[in-house]
């Protein structure tokens, strides 16, 4: 009996060690150190930095689908169906604000082409609906609510339009560009994020004039980030809200415009970096696990700052469906998503779909509150606040260094929050958390990238001295923040 227990303990220890070692395993492939170092020098544009610092952003999928029960409308819906009875955008915005969200994005036009504002360019809009006898304007109510609550404004416009007759022709580029202008002129200019969905499932092929749309947005508000099918913010590659174990904000330039042609948009001029065919060779799929690693930046002609956004819905669907009221994600699930998105160098974009009344459902509101309260509770008491910090100079080809914290007295903690000064780039590739157990340093956890923020969960430790050991970096590491927290549940 004793032997079995001993063997199981041993097997478990071997397994844990093996898993730990795997974290630092390098992908096989050619590495060009000059390119790796060059990637460490790539820095964010101020608008990208401001966006990264938001951490939590909200998505509101609301439209004709809310009333038909569809996820993708075909554009043939009767606009009269759109009729929220108790619309209150203030309630949406207040709920997400209370949970710590800093920006909210509204689906002003989804694939069905139905516009939530009275557009001068189509009749397939709120002006043809029953809502306020066609006198309503959801986009206006939404931006007013955001401004009143001090929440940044985001607008989603689907390039794929299943209603608009010009779709598939050059004239559609005029239509779409006009709508972007209309949004900025009527509801801007303080739109902080513009979201161009990459989804399309159509026989009709539209050649989008992306550079024209980007130029319009830059003209209207240079501080606005353009996301997904845009040059500033990258879709993480899944709709589960999960970033990669190693999430790089510096990636090959060919990762841009993942779903479209690989045109390269730059301030002051646009050009095609390579013919499409060649790009395919080094083209990284948006879901590729290796995006941004040493091998991938070594193959890249050029690397760019293109940080990841993790989108997911609090329910199975993006739009509200009554039968999903019992499928609102659990607090545990949301917290797991938080650690694997915000805690992995990404921004979380969480969708909470307003219902037919035009309100966030009570269940979702309650879950949002729990989510916000839990994050606040865990991360409000930093055990490393006021710690004495000493660090060694980076040495060798791997820029190894240690940062030691003396907490003043023994403290208990089981969460680490660590951040790099990304204004100067993202550099750390491998690091470990260690604690002084009285006679030697004990390794608690190994991890890879840090970037803007990395959160680690590990068994509770009690120690006065804590050390971050940077094992491998692309250039001199600059660790700007270290927090230690003690969480009872999540
Ligand atoms: C996808 C769309 O097809 C979904 O309906 C949803 O809007 C999601 C955020 O993006 O591409």
């Amino acid at each position: 009996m004793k032997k079995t227990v001993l063997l199981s303990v041993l097997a478990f220890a071997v397994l844990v060690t093996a898993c730990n070692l795997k974290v630092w395993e390098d992908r096989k492939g050619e590495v060009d150190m000059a390119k790796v170092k060059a990637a460490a020098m790539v820095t964010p544009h101020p608008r990208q930095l401001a966006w990264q610092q938001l951490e939590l952003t909200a998505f509101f999928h609301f439209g004709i689908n809310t009333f038909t029960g569809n996820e993708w409308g075909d554009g043939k819906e009767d606009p009269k169906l759109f009729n929220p009875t108790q619309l209150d955008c203030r309630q949406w915005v207040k709920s997400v604000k209370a949970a710590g969200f800093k920006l909210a994005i509204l689906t002003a036009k989804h694939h069905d082409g139905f516009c939530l504002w009275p557009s001068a360019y189509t009749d397939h809009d709120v002006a043809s609906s029953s809502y306020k006898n066609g006198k309503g304007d959801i986009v206006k109510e939404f931006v007013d609510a955001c401004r009143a609550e001090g929440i940044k404004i985001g607008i989603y416009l689907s390039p794929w339009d299943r209603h608009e007759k010009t779709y598939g022709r050059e004239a559609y580029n005029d239509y779409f560009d006009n709508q972007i202008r209309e949004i900025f002129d009527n509801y801007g200019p303080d739109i902080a994020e513009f979201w161009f969905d990459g989804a399309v499932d159509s026989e009709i092929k539209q050649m989008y004039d992306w550079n024209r749309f980007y130029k319009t947005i830059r003209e209207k508000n240079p501080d606005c980030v353009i996301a997904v099918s845009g040059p500033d913010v990258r879709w993480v590659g899944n709709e589960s809200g999960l970033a990669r174990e190693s999430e790089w904000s510096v990636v090959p330039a060919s990762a841009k415009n993942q779903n479209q042609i690989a045109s390269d948009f730059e301030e002051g001029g646009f050009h095609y970096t390579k013919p499409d065919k060649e790009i395919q060779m080094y083209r990284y799929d948006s879901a590729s696990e290796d995006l941004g690693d040493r091998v991938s930046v070594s193959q890249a002609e050029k690397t760019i700052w293109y940080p990841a956004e993790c989108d997911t819905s609090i329910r199975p669907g993006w739009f509200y469906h009554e039968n999903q009221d019992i499928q609102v994600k659990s607090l545990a699930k949301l917290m797991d998503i938080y650690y694997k998105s915000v805690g992995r160098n990404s921004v979380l974009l969480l969708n909470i779909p307003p219902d037919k009344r035009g309100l966030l459902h009570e269940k979702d509101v309650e879950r949002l509150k729990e989510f916000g309260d839990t994050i606040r509770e865990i991360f409000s008491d930093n055990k490393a606040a006021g710690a004495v910090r000493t660090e060694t100079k980076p040495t060798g080809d791997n820029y190894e260094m240690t940062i030691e914290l003396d907490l003043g007295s023994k403290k208990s903690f089981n969460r680490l929050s660590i951040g790099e000064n990304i204004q100067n780039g993202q550099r750390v590739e491998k690091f470990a958390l260690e604690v002084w157990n009285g006679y030697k340093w004990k390794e608690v956890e190994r991890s890879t990238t840090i970037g803007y923020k990395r959160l680690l969960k590990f068994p509770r430790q009690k120690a006065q001295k804590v050390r971050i050991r940077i094992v491998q970096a692309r250039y001199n590491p600059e660790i700007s923040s270290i927090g230690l927290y003690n969480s009872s549940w999540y």
Side-chain angles (χ1 to χ4, degrees), residues 59 61 71-72 110-111 156 195 197-199 239 311 318-319:
F59 222 166
H61 273 69
E71 274 294 313
W72 279 9
H110 204 249
H111 310 327
Y156 165 112
W195 220 87
D197 200 332
E239 293 186 340
D311 62 332
W318 289 101
F319 286 89

Side-chain angles (χ1 to χ4, degrees), residues 24-51:
W24 284 348
E25 228 171 68
D26 287 313
R27 178 160 71 108
K28 291 200 174 46
E30 248 177 71
V31 170
D32 177 341
M33 283 316 292
K35 287 197 169 180
V36 172
K37 194 170 167 186
M41 307 300 170
V42 178
T43 55
H45 187 279
R47 66 175 158 257
Q48 291 175 310
L49 186 61
W51 169 85

Side-chain angles (χ1 to χ4, degrees), residues 140-153:
K140 178 159 193 331
E141 294 195 41
F142 167 72
V143 298
D144 285 350
C146 287
R147 288 191 190 114
E149 294 295 334
I151 288 291
K152 290 194 177 196
I153 299 165

